[in-house]
Every structure is written in structure tokens, then in C-alpha cells.
């Protein structure tokens, strides 16, 4: 029951992660659903779309990594580091 409640709490959380020194901000929830992506106008260069794409990918990857780390730490606290395959 504690694990179920914790998982529900983790799923409901929202995270805001920055990439590229804050020029890209990704808002994501605990279910790893992207809620929004904010891009500062000064980073938008029509002649360098690849850089913008890289910044977005970096932001999304950092957001997912943050959630995975947070979830793993929270679950380890409740399970005592018991490894349950398929839990995440």
C-alpha cells in the first residue's frame, strides 16, 4: 500500500528542468509526459536548427533522467533498496 501511494505521489509531481544554460525549459510530470517546452527567443536561429533540436533533446533527456533518479531514490527509501524488476 505504501508503494502504491508513493507511486501515485511520484506520478502526480511536476518537474521543471533547464538545458543550455536556461534557454530551454522542459516541464514534465512524474509519468514522463511533457507538459510544456519553453524556448528563449534568443536561441532561435533559423540558420542553425540543429542546435535548437539538440537543446530540446538535452532538456527532455535531463527531465526524464531527473524523474528516474527521483523515483528510484524514493522507492529505495521505502523498499530498502530491494530491486523489483519491471517496477519502473
Amino acid at each position: 500500500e505504501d508503494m502504491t501511494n508513493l507511486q501515485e505521489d511520484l506520478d502526480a509531481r511536476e518537474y521543471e528542468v533547464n538545458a543550455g544554460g536556461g534557454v530551454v525549459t522542459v516541464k514534465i510530470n512524474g509519468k514522463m509526459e511533457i507538459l510544456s517546452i519553453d524556448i528563449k527567443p534568443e536561441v532561435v536561429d533559423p540558420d542553425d536548427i540543429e542546435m535548437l533540436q539538440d537543446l530540446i533533446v538535452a532538456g527532455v533527456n535531463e527531465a526524464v533522467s531527473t524523474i528516474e533518479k527521483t523515483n528510484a531514490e524514493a522507492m529505495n527509501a521505502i523498499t530498502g533498496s530491494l530491486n523489483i524488476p519491471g517496477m519502473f
Side-chain angles (χ1 to χ4, degrees), residues 2 6-8 12-13 15 17 20-21 28 31-32 42-43 48-50 59 62 71 73 86:
D2 288 342
L6 177 59
Q7 189 62 56
E8 289 173 359
R13 292 182 187 184
Y15 303 82
V17 180
I28 188 170
K31 292 187 268 185
M32 296 190 200
E42 61 267 17
V43 77
D48 193 3
I49 297 298
E50 288 181 14
E62 182 64 29
N71 288 356
E73 289 172 357

Side-chain angles (χ1 to χ4, degrees), residues 22-85:
V23 295
V24 173
T25 302
V26 177
K27 193 172 197 180
I28 188 170
N29 66 21
K31 292 187 268 185
M32 296 190 200
E33 299 169 334
I34 303 295
L35 303 174
S36 67
I37 297 176
D38 181 57
I39 302 168
K40 301 284 186 206
E42 61 267 17
V43 77
V44 180
D45 179 356
D47 296 326
D48 193 3
I49 297 298
E50 288 181 14
M51 182 188 68
L52 181 57
Q53 291 168 334
D54 290 344
L55 287 169
I56 293 169
V57 168
V60 170
N61 286 339
E62 182 64 29
V64 169
S65 177
T66 297
I67 292 169
E68 288 175 341
K69 180 181 176 190
T70 301
N71 288 356
E73 289 172 357
M75 284 297 178
N76 282 341
I78 202 169
T79 64
S81 299
L82 176 67
N83 186 8
I84 304 172

